[in-house]
Amino acid sequence: MVQGVGFRPFVHRLAAELGLGGFVGNDAAGVVVEVEGPSANLATFRRRLLAEAPPLAAVASLESAAAKAVGERSFRIAPTEASGGERTFVPPDVAVCEDCLAELADPSDRRFRYPFINCTNCGPRFTVTRRLPYDRPNTTMSGFRMCAPCAAEYADPSDRRFHAQPIACPACGPRLWFEGPDGLREGTDAAILAAWEVLAAGGIVAIKGLGGFHLACDAASPGAVRTLRRRKQRPDKPLAVMVADIAAARELAVLSEAEAAVLSGPRRPIVLLSRRPGAAVAAEVAPSSPLLGLMLAYTPLHHLLLRPVPGTGQPPPRALVMTSGNHSGEPICHEDTDARERLGPLADAWLTHDRPIHVPCDDSVVRLRGEREVPLRRARGYAPLPVQLPFPVPAALAVGGELKNAFCVAVGGAAWMSQHLGDMGSLQSLDAFCRSRRQFEELYRITPEVVAADTHPGYQTRRWAEENASAPLTLVQHHHAHVAAAMAEHGLGRDARVIGVAFDGTGFGDDGAIWGGEILLAGYGGFTRPYHLRYVALAGGDSAVRKPYRAALAHLAAAGIEWSEDLAPVLAAAEGELGVLRRQLERGVACVPTSSMGRLFDALSSLVGIRHVVSYEAQAAIELEIAAREHLESAAEYHFEPGDDDFDAAPVVQAVVRDLRAGRDRGEIAAGFHLAVARLVAELACRLRGATGVGTVALSGGVFQNLLLAELTCAELAGLGFEVLEHRVVPPNDGGLALGQLAVAAHRFGDRKGA
Ligand code: ZN
Ligand code: ZN
Ligand code: FE
C-alpha cells in the first residue's frame, strides 16, 4: 500500500536530501522510482526507502534494475494518470495522526480546534471516495473549493498535506453544528458544549462520524444506557464505549501491551477487553459480560468532544457509549436525510456536519489472542485493503452469507472484501448490499465473469444472485467456503489440501441437514466429510438459535437423559412446552437433524445454568467461554466418542449431567468441555493425517471466535506437529465466507477453462 499514504512526497524528500535526480510515479502495481546519482547515495536511498517509509505504507516487495544515466539533476513527482489501472488502491480511513492532533491543540495554528483537520497520514479515505483514482474531484470533498493557503499546501511536495485529498481548514472546509430541542448552535465550541449538556442530562446524541452516524450517551449513566437500549430495541448485546486516550482506557479495562498497541493504532478498531472491576461504566453497557468493547477517539471531532473546551472549566464526558446509528438489524445510517428519518425518533439531539459520507462503514471489532489480532468485524480502518490471492482469478463476485454479510470482488491476484454490511434480514440491508456491490464493481472496474453464493436456498444473497447476476452462478457449500477462506488468506496454492475444521452455528448441508460441526478434507476444488458431530434432532431447527435451552433439551434427548426437573434447561422451558417438544421429537415433526457445534456450545451453556435464552448471536457460548477461563487447572475430564464417520456428544452430555448432579463447579465443567472439543479435533486430525498424509489444519467458523477454544485447539495441534491456519485477515465467522466462496468459484472456473 503505497498510494494515498504520502509515499511519493516521502520519496521526493529522501531523493532531494541525497542529491539524487529522477522521478517517482504511481502505476497499477504500486510506485515506480527512477533515481540517478553517486552509487553510495543510491544504496542509502534503497535502504532508507524501506526503513523510513510513511507509517501507513506497506511494501510487499521491492525490485530494482540498473538503467542508463541521463544526467537528471532534479527530482520530480510524476502526476497521477487518470487512465492507467489504478484500481488496486483505495486506502482505508485512518485515525487522526499525532501531528494533526498537535495542531488541533495549538491556538496559533490556523486549524486550531478545527474538527475536520487531516493530512497525508490521516483522515477519511474509503468513506469519501466516489470513484478512482483517489483524487479530490472523485471524493465527497469535491464540493469544497480549497482556499489559497490550503491549495498551496496541497501543491507543495515538502508539505505534510501534499496531495492530501480531503485537505480542509475553517476557511474552506466542512462545518460542524449542533441541533437540539432549543435549536441550532454553530461554531465548534458552542456545538460541543451543547452536546455535552444533552449527554450530561442522560440524553442521546446522534453524531456524524467517518462512515456513518453513531448514537452516543454517557457510558456511566445506567438511565441513559437503558434509554438507548429501549429506543434501539437492543436489550442485551454489549455496546461499544469510546474514550479519549489510552490512559482513560486503562481506567476501564486491563490492557496488555499488544492490546494497547492495537487500540491506539491508526486503524482504531473496537477491541474486546477485560473490564476492570469497579470501572466507571454502567452495568447496562455489557450486561453479564466481563468484557468491554473499547475504542479510542479516532476523528478530530471525537477528540474535541472528549477533551476540555479551553476557557470553560467544564469537565468533558469521560466515556461515551458510541453505537452504530441504526435500528437493530438494519445497516448503519450514513446519508443525512435518511439518518433524519430513521434516527430521528432515537436521538434527542444532533452533532453533525456537511462533509458527505459516500460509503457507509461501521467500526471494526477485534479481539487479541496473545499478540495476535483476531478480526470479528472487518470494516473501518481495514476495508477495502486488498487480500492477495494465491492464484490468479477471473473477474468474480462472491455474495457472502446471510448473517454478518460481507461480499468479495476479485480479479487477477487481488480480492477486495467489502466492509461488514450486517444481517441480510431486512430490506434496508439488502439495499445496502446492492449499493455497496455496485460501488465495488465500479471502483475496481470489475464485470464479474463468475458469481458465487452459498448453497442455502433461503439466503437473501443467493436469491439476489439467482435473480440478478449477469454471469454464471456457482454455489459453494457453507463450510467448504469457511475452510477455503482460511486457505486463501494464508496463501495456499491451487492444489493444496487441508484438514478443515469448520465449527459454526448453522450452515446448509449437502444432505439438507443443518451442519456446523464439520471435519473436512478439503481443497479449493472440493471436499469430503470424513467426520461430523453426530446429528441430533432439533425441534424448530434454526428457530432454536435464540433458545439455547432447546438445544440442551435436544442433546439431553439424544443422550438418553430424562428431562427431569433438576436440570436447568428443563426448568427454563415454558409450561406445556416440554410436552409439545417431546411429541415433536417422537414423531419427527418440524425437527431438523443438526451437527451444529454452535448449538452444542449453546446446549452446554444452558445445561450448566449460564444462559437459556439469548438476544444476540453467540451470547450463550461467549458466557460459557468466560466461565471456563479461570478453571482450566481443575477442569473436568470429558471425552467425545469418535465413530467411523461421526463423533458423538452423548458421552460428554452424560458425564456433564453426572457432574452437575454431584454439585461440581460449572466453571470446571465449562473448562472440561472446551478441552474435550480441542482434544477431539486433535484426535481426528491425527487419524486423518495417518490416512492421507495431510498435515495442515485450517480452523474456521464462528465457533472459533471463542478464543479459549482456539487457544486450546492450536496448542493440541501444534504439540502434535500440525501446521495450523487461523484467521487473521477476515473473520472466522460468516463475515469471512465470501473470500472462500470466491476462491472455490475461481478454482472451478479455472478447471472449466482448462478442460
Ligand atoms: Zn494528520
Ligand atoms: Zn482552506
Ligand atoms: Fe458459518
Side-chain angles (χ1 to χ4, degrees):
M1 189 168 71
V2 286
Q3 297 180 0
V5 295
F7 200 82
R8 286 177 303 157
F10 152 70
V11 173
H12 181 271
R13 279 195 301 277
L14 186 60
E17 188 190 321
L18 295 170
L20 301 172
F23 70 88
V24 55
N26 288 336
D27 79 355
V31 153
V32 178
V33 188
E34 205 176 287
V35 278
E36 65 173 282
S39 53
N41 292 15
L42 290 177
T44 309
F45 177 83
R46 193 194 152 118
R47 184 175 48 77
R48 289 178 60 188
L49 195 59
L50 290 184
E52 296 172 20
L56 301 177
V59 178
S61 70
L62 175 67
E63 289 164 34
S64 62
K68 210 167 132 55
V70 292
E72 274 220 64
R73 286 294 158 84
S74 63
F75 195 88
R76 66 200 154 78
I77 294 179
T80 300
E81 278 173 40
S83 56
E86 259 205 75
R87 57 182 173 191
T88 48
F89 297 100
V90 189
D93 299 299
V94 181
V96 59
C97 73
E98 290 299 324
D99 290 336
C100 285
L101 280 180
E103 291 168 349
L104 189 68
D106 175 2
S108 69
D109 193 277
R110 67 190 189 92
R111 294 190 181 85
F112 176 57
R113 297 188 66 71
Y114 180 56
F116 307 97
I117 188 170
N118 68 82
C119 73
T120 328
N121 300 322
C122 75
R125 297 286 189 275
F126 177 44
T127 53
V128 295
T129 303
R130 289 203 165 104
R131 66 195 79 84
L132 286 179
Y134 173 64
D135 270 329
R136 187 165 174 112
N138 292 337
T139 70
T140 64
M141 286 298 293
S142 61
F144 298 91
R145 232 185 107 137
M146 276 183 233
C147 66
C150 282
E153 291 170 341
Y154 183 87
D156 177 359
S158 69
D159 195 279
R160 203 174 88 245
R161 296 194 167 85
F162 175 70
H163 283 197
Q165 308 305 343
I167 189 174
C169 78
C172 69
R175 286 170 322 110
L176 177 76
W177 69 89
F178 170 90
E179 278 172 57
D182 309 330
L184 208 66
R185 294 277 188 296
E186 291 179 289
T188 301
D189 289 358
I192 283 172
L193 289 169
W196 284 6
E197 210 171 295
V198 174
L199 292 167
I204 290 159
V205 181
I207 301 177
K208 189 172 176 183
L210 272 183
F213 285 80
H214 280 116
L215 291 171
C217 75
D218 179 359
S221 160
V225 180
R226 273 200 297 269
T227 305
L228 178 57
R229 287 198 176 281
R230 195 180 56 243
R231 291 190 196 165
K232 219 183 144 170
Q233 290 167 30
R234 178 164 149 156
D236 292 326
K237 191 173 177 186
L239 299 163
V241 170
M242 179 183 277
V243 292
D245 52 30
I246 206 83
R250 285 190 199 280
E251 286 175 20
L252 303 182
V254 183
L255 302 184
S256 70
E257 279 312 301
E259 285 167 338
V262 173
L263 202 56
S264 55
R267 304 185 193 290
R268 294 283 156 102
I270 295 167
V271 184
L272 297 190
L273 300 162
S274 299
R275 165 194 206 148
R276 202 176 272 288
V281 167
E284 286 80 355
V285 168
S288 78
S289 172
L291 300 182
L292 189 60
L294 271 188
M295 63 180 147
L296 300 191
Y298 58 83
T299 68
L301 173 57
H302 297 149
H303 283 273
L304 294 172
L305 190 64
L306 289 162
R307 286 162 203 258
V309 174
T312 64
Q314 284 192 46
R318 294 169 68 83
L320 292 177
V321 165
M322 289 282 263
T323 184
S324 302
N326 57 9
H327 292 268
S328 281
E330 290 181 5
I332 187 169
C333 290
H334 71 291
E335 281 164 338
D336 295 319
T337 42
D338 179 53
R340 298 262 160 203
E341 221 168 273
R342 283 162 62 204
L343 300 186
L346 279 61
D348 298 305
W350 297 75
L351 189 60
T352 188
H353 58 75
D354 57 355
R355 185 177 66 202
I357 299 170
H358 185 64
V359 180
C361 198
D362 262 302
D363 296 315
S364 294
V365 183
V366 307
R367 263 181 107 174
L368 271 89
R369 189 158 85 68
E371 304 277 290
R372 273 222 341 242
E373 244 179 271
V374 180
L376 302 183
R377 181 162 89 189
R378 188 177 180 275
R380 177 184 49 77
Y382 297 81
L385 281 176
V387 182
Q388 295 304 319
L389 291 173
F391 52 87
V393 301
L397 163 72
V399 297
E402 182 77 351
L403 301 177
K404 301 179 195 297
N405 179 269
F407 62 85
C408 183
V409 296
V411 67
W416 293 270
M417 287 293 291
S418 76
Q419 71 276 31
H420 161 89
L421 295 173
D423 299 348
M424 291 291 111
S426 72
L427 256 182
Q428 282 96 335
S429 305
L430 205 58
D431 273 356
F433 167 85
C434 291
R435 208 171 34 234
S436 201
R437 179 202 54 84
R438 216 161 30 241
Q439 278 167 1
F440 269 69
E441 289 183 2
E442 281 167 15
L443 217 46
Y444 300 110
R445 292 172 216 149
I446 285 170
T447 309
E449 291 175 66
V450 54
V451 175
D454 196 278
T455 53
H456 198 307
Y459 277 12
Q460 295 298 331
T461 46
R462 173 179 163 181
R463 289 195 192 154
W464 177 89
E466 279 170 343
E467 285 161 22
N468 300 284
S470 50
L473 178 65
T474 179
L475 299 178
V476 183
Q477 199 278 325
H478 190 93
H479 303 93
H480 184 206
H482 270 308
V483 172
M487 293 172 66
E489 74 162 71
H490 283 272
L492 267 58
R494 282 190 71 92
D495 300 322
R497 274 208 310 166
V498 301
I499 297 164
V501 181
F503 286 173
D504 66 1
T506 127
F508 189 73
D510 287 349
D511 57 0
I514 298 175
W515 291 11
E518 313 306 311
I519 311 263
L520 310 178
L521 204 57
Y524 296 110
F527 69 95
T528 57
R529 187 189 186 213
Y531 301 102
H532 59 85
L533 183 60
R534 185 170 297 170
Y535 288 144
V536 299
L538 189 58
D542 273 349
S543 69
V545 169
R546 295 202 163 270
K547 298 175 175 170
Y549 70 86
R550 285 213 181 181
L553 293 171
H555 275 281
L556 286 169
I561 296 167
E562 211 35 55
W563 290 349
S564 61
E565 297 236 325
D566 65 329
L567 296 170
V570 176
L571 293 173
E575 215 173 314
E577 193 180 0
L578 290 172
V580 175
L581 286 175
R582 189 171 286 123
R583 278 191 297 280
Q584 272 186 307
L585 286 176
E586 278 164 9
R587 295 180 198 155
V589 181
C591 282
V592 188
T594 181
S595 58
S596 167
M597 187 57 86
R599 294 295 81 76
L600 182 59
F601 272 81
D602 282 355
L604 260 287
S605 190
S606 171
L607 209 49
V608 301
I610 288 178
R611 177 64 58 182
H612 306 297
V613 178
V614 301
S615 73
Y616 61 93
E617 203 211 350
Q619 185 180 9
I622 291 170
E623 290 169 13
L624 188 72
E625 175 195 345
I626 305 285
R629 278 200 172 264
E630 309 296 316
H631 298 276
L632 289 173
E633 298 296 318
S634 51
E637 281 273 341
Y638 302 125
H639 194 71
F640 286 86
E641 203 147 282
D644 290 339
D645 59 358
D646 64 5
F647 44 95
D648 192 357
V652 175
V653 173
Q654 287 154 0
V656 166
V657 169
R658 254 196 317 275
D659 278 350
L660 281 168
R661 286 180 170 151
R664 187 151 192 182
D665 181 273
R666 66 188 188 186
E668 296 177 3
I669 296 174
F673 174 68
H674 280 75
L675 276 166
V677 175
R679 287 181 187 142
L680 168 77
V681 169
E683 185 179 342
L684 296 178
C686 280
R687 283 198 196 176
L688 286 174
R689 181 171 59 183
T692 64
V694 175
T696 304
V697 179
L699 305 180
S700 190
V703 167
F704 286 104
Q705 295 173 101
N706 180 329
L707 296 194
L708 177 63
L709 179 68
E711 198 172 305
L712 296 172
T713 308
C714 283
E716 292 283 337
L717 289 169
L720 293 163
F722 285 98
E723 188 194 351
V724 184
L725 312 179
E726 284 180 277
H727 285 288
R728 293 189 298 234
V729 179
V730 298
N733 59 45
D734 287 4
L737 211 56
L739 182 64
Q741 292 174 346
L742 191 120
V744 170
H747 191 278
R748 286 182 192 157
F749 186 88
D751 278 357
R752 266 207 309 278
K753 279 216 150 162

